[in-house]
Structure formats: structure tokens, C-alpha cells
Amino acid sequence: MAARREYRDPETRHDLGPMNVACAHCGALHWIDERVAASSKHAPEFGICCNHGKVQLEGLHQPPEPLHRLLVGNDAQAQEFRSHITQYNSALAFTSLGVSDDKNINKHGPNAWVFRILGNLRHLSSALTAPDGVSPSYAQLYMYDPSVALQQRMNRNSNLRRDTMQALQTMLTLFHPYAAIYKQAYEILEDVGDVEEAEVRLRVMPGQDHRRYNLPTAEEVAVILPGDGSAGDGRDIILRNRQVNGAPMQRISDIHPAYAPLYYVLLFPHGEHGWHPDIYLDEPEKAHPQRLS
Ligand SMILES: [Zn+2]
């Protein structure tokens, strides 16, 4: 067994230089050493962003109002919003961030606060109804009357502006498709009644246009009830109305297309789907589109 030694920075540093080399196909910025081995420094080719232009992402849609104004405006409300944007986002997210925050690192001295995590970042999903005596949070708040949800969000974030929170909450309820999809799942589960283990699985079916990401619609997100013989492949988001006694919050697979938009609601206010293994590659030389997986 190796003895524990205090960690010291190595004496020589490896310097990758600036991360400013753009992919010729998608414009993603890279370090030059990330280029594929067969390409030169003068005409670098990259595989890890868009696989040489085969993955074509649709540009982000213009954010709806009032988010757009808050992102670009210079008035006091917009400035306050931008200085607390991660807090607003977290207050309005459907999922929560699960991290093992390394508390030791900030104990020593008045240095800049450092966010270091142990292990990896997880996005967690809870039951759609809060347990008795616990105030609702995250997706649970989308099941409530808007005035109740707003009050709960302000109770947890009393330093934020109520008018901004209210405007963003209304906007997301209108524009983020998962607000309606979660509500639909909740109503299905309410109809099923008090059946232990009743669950709804959210699975995204690939859209018609195989080259591009589509905005999710309720028709594309299949709601699968238990007992249909489909075991799922571990990628579905599983929703329950009540937490099974003692069960931990559920971890969402990071290859579910809704992984990013369920947490980063202010980055993807239209619920734009993120990367997933069923995305099609754009290869005109092939007769049929080829899936990544
Ligand atoms: Zn690229």
C-alpha cells in the first residue's frame, strides 16, 4: 500500500498554449494538440466536436422575452439578473445538480473561492410530489399553481428580484416543452392512483429530419407506462409521483437528449435537445443516414 504524501505541484508544467484554433466546419475552439493525428498544424482537422462536419447542429433559437432583454439589456433589472444568473437558473430548473463539493479546499486563507468536486457531476430528478412536511423544489414546482410556485422559489432565494423570477417562471411555463410534458406525466400518474411503483418513462423518439436536432414536441417524447413489456435501456427519465420510501433521488443519464435542457433552462428555454447517441450523421455519400451508436 502506498504511503499518503502531501500533494505538490509538479516542477515542470505542460503548456498547451491558447485554446483558439477553430474547427473549419463548426467553429468550435480547440487546442492545436487536439487535432487528429493525420492533419497538419496548418490545416488542422478535429474529430471531437462535429466529427469533421458530419454532426450539424442547429443554431440556438433566439431566447423568448423577457429573457432576451435580460441577457442584453443595460437597465438595473437586466444587470441584477446577469449577476445572479446561475441562481435564477437553479431556482427554475427541473433537475438538481448533485456534486460532492470538496469543502476542504476553501478552508485555508482568504484566497478566491474554489469550486472543486470529487467524482463527477450528476443531474438528479426527484419525485413529482414533495414528501409531507418538505417544501417542493425543482420539477415539483411546475405541478403547482404559479403563485404558490413563485412564493416557494422566493422563499429559497430571498436575495433575488420577485418581478424577474415571476417573468421567467411564466416564460418557461409557456415555452419550455418539458413544463407541459412533466405536467402530463403527473396527470397520468394521478389517474393511475395510489399504485406503488407507478412510473412514467420519458423517451425521446428521433424526429423526422435526421440531419438536425429538432425542438422537442410532446409527440416526440413518448410516455411509457409500466406493464407494457418494455424494460427500458437505462437511458429513460423515470418519473414517479411519490418517492418510494427511502429511495435516493434518481440520476439522469447524461446521454438523454433532455439532460442539458432540464437543468440549464435559461440556456435552452425552448427545451432544445442536446447530444444523444441516436443523432444522425450528415453523410451525403451514403444512401442512408448512419447513427452514431
Ligand atoms: Zn467541428
Short mmCIF file of all heavy atoms in Angstrom, two decimals, residues 76-92 157 159-161 164-165 168 266:
data_model
loop_
_atom_site.label_atom_id
_atom_site.label_comp_id
_atom_site.label_asym_id
_atom_site.label_seq_id
_atom_site.Cartn_x
_atom_site.Cartn_y
_atom_site.Cartn_z
N ALA A 76 -31.23 48.28 -14.77
CA ALA A 76 -30.87 47.71 -13.47
C ALA A 76 -31.37 46.27 -13.33
O ALA A 76 -30.68 45.41 -12.79
CB ALA A 76 -31.45 48.59 -12.35
N GLN A 77 -32.56 45.99 -13.87
CA GLN A 77 -33.11 44.64 -13.73
C GLN A 77 -32.25 43.63 -14.50
O GLN A 77 -31.96 42.54 -14.01
CB GLN A 77 -34.56 44.61 -14.26
CG GLN A 77 -35.25 43.27 -13.97
CD GLN A 77 -36.64 43.18 -14.58
OE1 GLN A 77 -37.01 43.98 -15.44
NE2 GLN A 77 -37.42 42.22 -14.12
N ALA A 78 -31.84 44.02 -15.71
CA ALA A 78 -31.02 43.12 -16.53
C ALA A 78 -29.66 42.88 -15.87
O ALA A 78 -29.14 41.77 -15.85
CB ALA A 78 -30.84 43.71 -17.93
N GLN A 79 -29.09 43.95 -15.30
CA GLN A 79 -27.77 43.78 -14.66
C GLN A 79 -27.87 42.89 -13.44
O GLN A 79 -27.00 42.05 -13.20
CB GLN A 79 -27.21 45.15 -14.31
CG GLN A 79 -26.78 45.90 -15.57
CD GLN A 79 -26.25 47.30 -15.28
OE1 GLN A 79 -25.91 47.61 -14.14
NE2 GLN A 79 -26.19 48.13 -16.29
N GLU A 80 -28.92 43.07 -12.65
CA GLU A 80 -29.11 42.23 -11.47
C GLU A 80 -29.30 40.78 -11.90
O GLU A 80 -28.75 39.86 -11.30
CB GLU A 80 -30.34 42.72 -10.68
CG GLU A 80 -30.52 42.05 -9.31
CD GLU A 80 -31.27 40.72 -9.34
OE1 GLU A 80 -31.89 40.39 -10.37
OE2 GLU A 80 -31.22 40.00 -8.35
N PHE A 81 -30.06 40.57 -12.97
CA PHE A 81 -30.30 39.22 -13.48
C PHE A 81 -28.98 38.54 -13.84
O PHE A 81 -28.71 37.41 -13.44
CB PHE A 81 -31.23 39.27 -14.70
CG PHE A 81 -31.26 37.99 -15.48
CD1 PHE A 81 -31.88 36.86 -14.96
CD2 PHE A 81 -30.67 37.91 -16.75
CE1 PHE A 81 -31.90 35.67 -15.68
CE2 PHE A 81 -30.70 36.72 -17.46
CZ PHE A 81 -31.31 35.61 -16.92
N ARG A 82 -28.15 39.26 -14.59
CA ARG A 82 -26.91 38.63 -15.07
C ARG A 82 -25.93 38.35 -13.94
O ARG A 82 -25.16 37.40 -14.00
CB ARG A 82 -26.27 39.47 -16.17
CG ARG A 82 -27.11 39.47 -17.45
CD ARG A 82 -26.31 39.89 -18.66
NE ARG A 82 -25.84 41.27 -18.58
CZ ARG A 82 -26.55 42.32 -18.97
NH1 ARG A 82 -27.75 42.16 -19.47
NH2 ARG A 82 -26.05 43.54 -18.87
N SER A 83 -25.98 39.17 -12.89
CA SER A 83 -25.03 38.89 -11.81
C SER A 83 -25.51 37.72 -10.93
O SER A 83 -24.74 37.21 -10.12
CB SER A 83 -24.75 40.15 -10.99
OG SER A 83 -25.94 40.57 -10.37
N HIS A 84 -26.78 37.28 -11.08
CA HIS A 84 -27.27 36.14 -10.32
C HIS A 84 -27.83 35.06 -11.24
O HIS A 84 -28.71 34.30 -10.85
CB HIS A 84 -28.38 36.58 -9.35
CG HIS A 84 -27.91 37.52 -8.29
ND1 HIS A 84 -28.01 38.88 -8.40
CD2 HIS A 84 -27.32 37.28 -7.10
CE1 HIS A 84 -27.51 39.46 -7.32
NE2 HIS A 84 -27.08 38.51 -6.51
N ILE A 85 -27.32 35.01 -12.48
CA ILE A 85 -27.98 34.17 -13.49
C ILE A 85 -27.97 32.68 -13.11
O ILE A 85 -28.94 31.97 -13.34
CB ILE A 85 -27.35 34.43 -14.89
CG1 ILE A 85 -28.17 33.75 -15.98
CG2 ILE A 85 -25.91 33.99 -14.95
CD1 ILE A 85 -27.81 34.25 -17.38
N THR A 86 -26.91 32.22 -12.47
CA THR A 86 -26.88 30.78 -12.13
C THR A 86 -27.89 30.47 -11.02
O THR A 86 -28.48 29.40 -11.00
CB THR A 86 -25.48 30.31 -11.69
OG1 THR A 86 -25.05 31.12 -10.61
CG2 THR A 86 -24.48 30.41 -12.82
N GLN A 87 -28.10 31.45 -10.15
CA GLN A 87 -29.08 31.23 -9.07
C GLN A 87 -30.51 31.23 -9.63
O GLN A 87 -31.33 30.40 -9.23
CB GLN A 87 -28.91 32.31 -8.00
CG GLN A 87 -29.48 31.90 -6.65
CD GLN A 87 -29.40 33.03 -5.63
OE1 GLN A 87 -28.61 33.98 -5.79
NE2 GLN A 87 -30.21 32.94 -4.59
N TYR A 88 -30.80 32.17 -10.55
CA TYR A 88 -32.11 32.15 -11.20
C TYR A 88 -32.32 30.82 -11.94
O TYR A 88 -33.39 30.22 -11.89
CB TYR A 88 -32.25 33.31 -12.21
CG TYR A 88 -32.60 34.64 -11.58
CD1 TYR A 88 -31.68 35.67 -11.51
CD2 TYR A 88 -33.88 34.86 -11.06
CE1 TYR A 88 -31.99 36.89 -10.94
CE2 TYR A 88 -34.21 36.07 -10.49
CZ TYR A 88 -33.27 37.09 -10.43
OH TYR A 88 -33.60 38.28 -9.85
N ASN A 89 -31.27 30.38 -12.64
CA ASN A 89 -31.40 29.14 -13.40
C ASN A 89 -31.71 27.96 -12.47
O ASN A 89 -32.62 27.17 -12.72
CB ASN A 89 -30.11 28.85 -14.18
CG ASN A 89 -30.24 27.61 -15.04
OD1 ASN A 89 -30.77 27.66 -16.14
ND2 ASN A 89 -29.83 26.48 -14.51
N SER A 90 -30.96 27.88 -11.38
CA SER A 90 -31.15 26.76 -10.46
C SER A 90 -32.54 26.80 -9.83
O SER A 90 -33.16 25.75 -9.61
CB SER A 90 -30.03 26.83 -9.42
OG SER A 90 -30.31 25.98 -8.37
N ALA A 91 -33.06 28.01 -9.56
CA ALA A 91 -34.39 28.14 -8.96
C ALA A 91 -35.48 27.66 -9.91
O ALA A 91 -36.55 27.25 -9.48
CB ALA A 91 -34.65 29.59 -8.58
N LEU A 92 -35.19 27.70 -11.21
CA LEU A 92 -36.22 27.38 -12.21
C LEU A 92 -35.99 26.03 -12.89
O LEU A 92 -36.78 25.60 -13.72
CB LEU A 92 -36.25 28.49 -13.27
CG LEU A 92 -36.75 29.85 -12.73
CD1 LEU A 92 -36.24 31.00 -13.58
CD2 LEU A 92 -38.27 29.87 -12.66
N ASN A 157 -34.85 31.85 -2.33
CA ASN A 157 -33.91 32.77 -2.99
C ASN A 157 -34.32 34.21 -2.68
O ASN A 157 -34.60 34.99 -3.58
CB ASN A 157 -33.92 32.54 -4.50
CG ASN A 157 -33.52 31.13 -4.88
OD1 ASN A 157 -32.33 30.81 -4.92
ND2 ASN A 157 -34.50 30.27 -5.14
N ASN A 159 -32.84 36.76 -1.89
CA ASN A 159 -32.00 37.86 -2.38
C ASN A 159 -32.31 38.24 -3.82
O ASN A 159 -31.82 39.25 -4.32
CB ASN A 159 -30.52 37.48 -2.27
CG ASN A 159 -30.17 36.25 -3.09
OD1 ASN A 159 -30.93 35.28 -3.12
ND2 ASN A 159 -29.03 36.29 -3.76
N LEU A 160 -33.13 37.45 -4.51
CA LEU A 160 -33.40 37.72 -5.93
C LEU A 160 -34.64 38.59 -6.10
O LEU A 160 -35.44 38.73 -5.18
CB LEU A 160 -33.57 36.40 -6.69
CG LEU A 160 -32.37 35.45 -6.67
CD1 LEU A 160 -32.65 34.22 -7.50
CD2 LEU A 160 -31.10 36.14 -7.15
N ARG A 161 -34.80 39.16 -7.31
CA ARG A 161 -35.95 40.03 -7.58
C ARG A 161 -37.19 39.21 -7.92
O ARG A 161 -37.16 38.37 -8.83
CB ARG A 161 -35.61 40.97 -8.75
CG ARG A 161 -34.78 42.17 -8.34
CD ARG A 161 -34.44 43.03 -9.54
NE ARG A 161 -35.63 43.61 -10.18
CZ ARG A 161 -35.66 44.83 -10.70
NH1 ARG A 161 -34.58 45.60 -10.65
NH2 ARG A 161 -36.75 45.27 -11.27
N THR A 164 -38.48 39.62 -11.61
CA THR A 164 -37.69 38.87 -12.59
C THR A 164 -38.05 37.38 -12.52
O THR A 164 -38.27 36.73 -13.55
CB THR A 164 -36.18 39.06 -12.32
OG1 THR A 164 -35.89 40.46 -12.30
CG2 THR A 164 -35.33 38.38 -13.36
N MET A 165 -38.11 36.86 -11.29
CA MET A 165 -38.41 35.44 -11.10
C MET A 165 -39.78 35.11 -11.70
O MET A 165 -39.94 34.10 -12.39
CB MET A 165 -38.38 35.10 -9.61
CG MET A 165 -38.49 33.62 -9.31
SD MET A 165 -36.96 32.73 -9.68
CE MET A 165 -36.09 32.97 -8.13
N LEU A 168 -39.69 35.11 -15.57
CA LEU A 168 -39.00 33.95 -16.13
C LEU A 168 -39.82 32.67 -15.92
O LEU A 168 -39.86 31.79 -16.78
CB LEU A 168 -37.61 33.80 -15.49
CG LEU A 168 -36.63 34.91 -15.84
CD1 LEU A 168 -35.37 34.80 -14.98
CD2 LEU A 168 -36.24 34.86 -17.33
N LEU A 266 -32.29 28.27 -18.63
CA LEU A 266 -32.13 29.62 -19.19
C LEU A 266 -31.19 29.62 -20.40
O LEU A 266 -31.16 30.57 -21.17
CB LEU A 266 -31.64 30.60 -18.12
CG LEU A 266 -32.62 30.81 -16.95
CD1 LEU A 266 -32.08 31.82 -15.95
CD2 LEU A 266 -34.00 31.24 -17.45
#
